[in-house]
Amino acid sequence: MSMTASTHDMMLEQARWRWSESLFWILSVLVLFVFPSKALLFSQIAIMGLFALSLDLILGYGGIVSLGHAAFFGVGAYAAGLMAKHGLGDPLLGLAVAACVAACIGWLTSFLLLRGSDLTRLMVTLGIALMLFELANRMASITGGADGLQGMMVGPVLGLFSFDLFGKTAYLYSLAVLFVLFLLSRKIVHSTFGLSLRAVKGNILRAGAIGISASSRLVAIYTLSAAIAGIAGALSAQTTQLVSLDVLDFHRSADVMLVLVIGGVGWLYGGIIGAIMFTLMQDWLAGITPQYWEFWIGLVLVCLVLVGHDRIKTGFQSITARVSGKGGAA
Amino acid sequence: MSIALATHELVKNFGGLRATDHVSLTIHTGARHALIGPNGAGKTTLINLLTGVLTPSQGTIMLEGTNITRLSQHARVQRGLVRTFQINQLFADMSPLQSLCLAVSERHQQGRDWWHVAGSNKSFVDEAEDILTRFGLSDVMMQQTRFLPYGKQRLLEIALAIACKPRVLLLDEPAAGVPEEERHEIIDILADLPKDVTVVLIEHDMDLVFSFADRISVLVNGALLTEGGVDEIARDPQVRAVYLGESGHE
């Protein structure tokens, strides 16, 4: 019997919350008090991290490659922006509506991704994002077109915390939303549903042969991912009080893919760590060499892909293991 | 005797090629039915039609009296029609325990559970562990599947099907590629399958067929050549000519 109990425990072990995770989130709050002047940058990181997290759900866990994830980010940004413009400035209501609108578009388009190769999926996702971009451009009377959405009035968070010029509220608000959605995603990837996604990604033929309806699982995760990307877009709109066509631009889809590759695919912290590295690097390099910073980002990317994440990750794990005095951390 | 699985005039065309040619099969409940035929006879196409990987061009498939011709692959599995693959189709990044837990959870319709940690239902883990022990895989059940030796992977291939609690089990060359000295493990497992489970064995290895099956259907060029008891087939001059007389087992 004791043997069985330990097997059961071993299954649960992988989902256990680690001390290094607590440390990570505590640090993410503390950093605001150490560098209060960087709050706006941090909030940008949190939003990018959330956006990358949403991409990881479909790419790292569902195996769906996308070059058009900005579609959902942009739709969420416009949804929240339009609400704030038309007198519905409550931030959480804005997030909820943005999530619903993005989820609807995600659900509708997910069916186009069920068949076909990675290349097909890349092109379909890219195509959808391009169409939405042009729609937003064309419908200038609603979206403000190339000039961007003017006149957003975002209310205080929970009616209590107004957005300040320095971005303190913006960061804590974005971080809180990121944390909640991170916990939700963590729950999902460690659940039986999450395991079934890994099975679908790993071997779709066998997944079907053990009774998994691969299509319905992929539709579900794609819809959820779209909703989270929509929330990230809404956060961006609310914290910057600005929505322009840029939210739907191709470079945003490419950036989030970069972020995820930098941080590590199929690992929920990957998107967040990638966002930290990408945004800080961008900020730093843009200060040194405003015109050519992308060169250095490109160089880092090439190095990372060639060296491989596993080596970096194993190094990181062995350090945390040594610090905690026992094996298997993070 | 009741009928577990039956096909009626099943046809599959790939462009101009007829891979399955009006196959009408009847397999009785609890049977040990072997499907043999030379390479290219359409055995794998037939299994793909039966399990829903391919859609037939014509004809019907009945599982325990229900027409399943239009059902999806996973819906057939949920009704108890389960297969293994000639070439291992496993979840390389998952452990055998995770793979089996997942299969058991899916069977209990719990695969969509996104709230509880996978493996939090102890009875599922126990059941998975039970099957792994029966298959001699308990010592490797926490390892990543991709690192298991081939023979163990071959056993896992069957264990994964068993976790789906099949009523009809289609085994596609279960001993393919397994070295001679490890074959007995597979043969023992097959012999121990519950008697009420109907087994259809697609096999190249005639020793295995003759020791395991009680009934044999011979497939040639996509069509059913003949069907009968083991002795009958062994004596059949037609079968000897097209199949047994052929150069070898591969």
Side-chain angles (χ1 to χ4, degrees), chain A residues 4 7 14 190 203 206 217, chain B residues 98 106 118 126 129 157:
Chain A
T4 320
T7 308
Q14 294 167 339
H190 286 121
N203 191 333
R206 190 58 190 250
R217 304 290 155 90
Chain B
Q98 284 176 321
E106 291 292 344
D126 287 347
E129 192 181 11
E157 177 72 37

Side-chain angles (χ1 to χ4, degrees), chain A residues 167-180:
Chain A
K168 206 172 144 189
T169 308
Y171 176 56
L172 291 175
Y173 170 53
S174 305
L175 186 66
V177 173
L178 170 65
F179 183 60
V180 169

Side-chain angles (χ1 to χ4, degrees), chain A:
Chain A
M1 282 313 277
S2 65
M3 177 70 195
T4 320
S6 75
T7 308
H8 183 230
D9 292 342
M10 280 191 281
M11 275 294 286
L12 302 181
E13 171 63 19
Q14 294 167 339
R16 199 171 52 83
W17 183 267
R18 330 259 155 174
W19 67 269
S20 47
E21 292 180 83
S22 304
L23 186 69
F24 179 87
W25 292 102
I26 291 169
L27 281 178
S28 69
V29 177
L30 287 183
V31 70
L32 178 66
F33 298 98
V34 183
F35 305 103
S37 65
K38 293 278 182 198
L40 279 173
L41 185 70
F42 295 154
S43 105
Q44 221 181 312
I45 292 177
I47 292 166
M48 186 53 120
L50 183 62
F51 188 27
L53 175 83
S54 77
L55 181 64
D56 202 15
L57 286 179
I58 58 163
L59 179 63
Y61 295 91
I64 301 172
V65 285
S66 168
L67 256 188
H69 217 46
F72 307 118
F73 185 93
V75 163
Y78 274 112
L82 285 169
M83 282 180 65
K85 188 186 171 182
H86 295 103
L88 291 164
D90 183 69
L92 292 183
L93 181 67
L95 293 192
V97 172
C100 290
V101 176
C104 283
I105 295 181
W107 182 77
L108 283 172
T109 54
S110 66
F111 297 95
L112 305 173
L113 302 172
L114 294 177
R115 303 213 174 271
S117 62
D118 284 351
L119 186 63
T120 320
R121 287 170 167 174
L122 273 182
M123 291 305 117
V124 169
T125 50
L126 178 62
I128 290 164
L130 286 176
M131 288 194 292
L132 285 172
F133 179 89
E134 283 309 337
L135 267 178
N137 195 10
R138 193 84 180 76
M139 295 176 5
S141 56
I142 302 170
T143 62
D147 299 330
L149 200 61
Q150 310 285 332
M152 280 174 66
M153 294 290 285
V154 183
V157 180
L158 298 169
L160 295 172
F161 309 102
S162 308
F163 288 100
D164 54 291
L165 274 178
F166 310 103
K168 206 172 144 189
T169 308
Y171 176 56
L172 291 175
Y173 170 53
S174 305
L175 186 66
V177 173
L178 170 65
F179 183 60
V180 169
L181 291 173
F182 172 83
L183 288 183
L184 177 74
S185 306
R186 194 181 186 281
K187 194 106 184 126
I188 288 170
V189 301
H190 286 121
S191 70
T192 310
F193 174 80
L195 194 59
S196 78
L197 275 181
R198 277 174 68 187
V200 168
K201 184 192 175 206
N203 191 333
I204 196 165
L205 184 62
R206 190 58 190 250
I210 62 168
I212 297 173
S213 159
S215 309
S216 74
R217 304 290 155 90
L218 291 177
V219 167
I221 197 67
Y222 197 75
T223 306
L224 176 76
S225 166
I228 296 179
I231 291 176
L235 279 178
S236 165
Q238 292 171 350
T239 56
T240 60
Q241 315 249 347
L242 181 83
V243 184
S244 68
L245 281 176
D246 181 66
V247 292
L248 283 165
D249 203 343
F250 170 71
H251 83 79
R252 196 171 281 277
S253 301
D255 281 354
V256 72
M257 180 75 94
L258 261 173
V259 161
L260 195 56
V261 172
I262 289 174
V265 180
W267 179 47
L268 287 181
Y269 284 99
I272 302 176
I273 290 174
I276 296 172
M277 290 169 65
F278 180 83
T279 314
L280 289 182
M281 227 160 29
Q282 188 184 23
D283 186 58
W284 180 60
L285 291 170
I288 303 171
T289 159
Q291 282 179 12
Y292 308 108
W293 63 274
E294 280 182 318
F295 172 87
W296 298 102
I297 296 264
L299 183 69
V300 169
L301 182 74
V302 171
C303 292
L304 264 178
V305 172
L306 290 181
V307 174
H309 278 101
D310 288 343
R311 258 175 272 181
I312 298 169
K313 207 166 139 190
T314 344
F316 179 69
Q317 279 170 348
S318 72
I319 292 167
T320 48
R322 210 168 301 158
V323 172
S324 71
K326 55 184 180 188

Side-chain angles (χ1 to χ4, degrees), chain B residues 24-150:
Chain B
S24 297
L25 264 179
T26 303
I27 294 158
H28 292 278
T29 307
R32 297 289 180 263
H33 199 119
L35 202 59
I36 65 171
N39 274 334
K43 302 186 295 279
T44 298
T45 304
L46 184 56
I47 220 178
N48 284 338
L49 290 172
L50 292 175
T51 52
V53 175
L54 297 171
T55 330
S57 311
Q58 278 173 51
T60 52
I61 306 164
M62 307 287 284
L63 177 68
E64 297 183 324
T66 317
N67 189 337
I68 60 162
T69 317
R70 299 281 152 217
L71 285 188
S72 66
Q73 202 186 347
H74 58 91
R76 295 182 200 199
V77 176
Q78 278 152 12
R79 284 167 190 262
L81 179 62
V82 185
R83 72 175 291 186
T84 66
F85 293 83
Q86 183 185 347
I87 297 162
N88 285 340
Q89 299 291 341
L90 300 168
F91 306 120
D93 296 329
M94 288 160 54
S95 67
L97 183 63
Q98 284 176 321
S99 308
L100 261 79
C101 274
L102 179 61
V104 172
S105 307
E106 291 292 344
R107 201 185 80 227
H108 287 100
Q109 310 283 326
Q110 297 298 310
R112 283 159 209 275
D113 179 349
W114 58 272
W115 187 250
H116 298 98
V117 174
S120 52
N121 189 324
K122 193 161 177 303
S123 67
F124 294 175
V125 182
D126 287 347
E127 189 180 335
E129 192 181 11
D130 222 49
I131 297 170
L132 288 166
T133 309
R134 238 165 62 209
F135 277 71
L137 293 167
S138 56
D139 52 331
V140 294
M141 68 183 176
M142 300 300 293
Q143 287 176 23
Q144 233 183 52
T145 299
R146 68 165 78 248
F147 299 123
L148 298 186
Y150 182 79

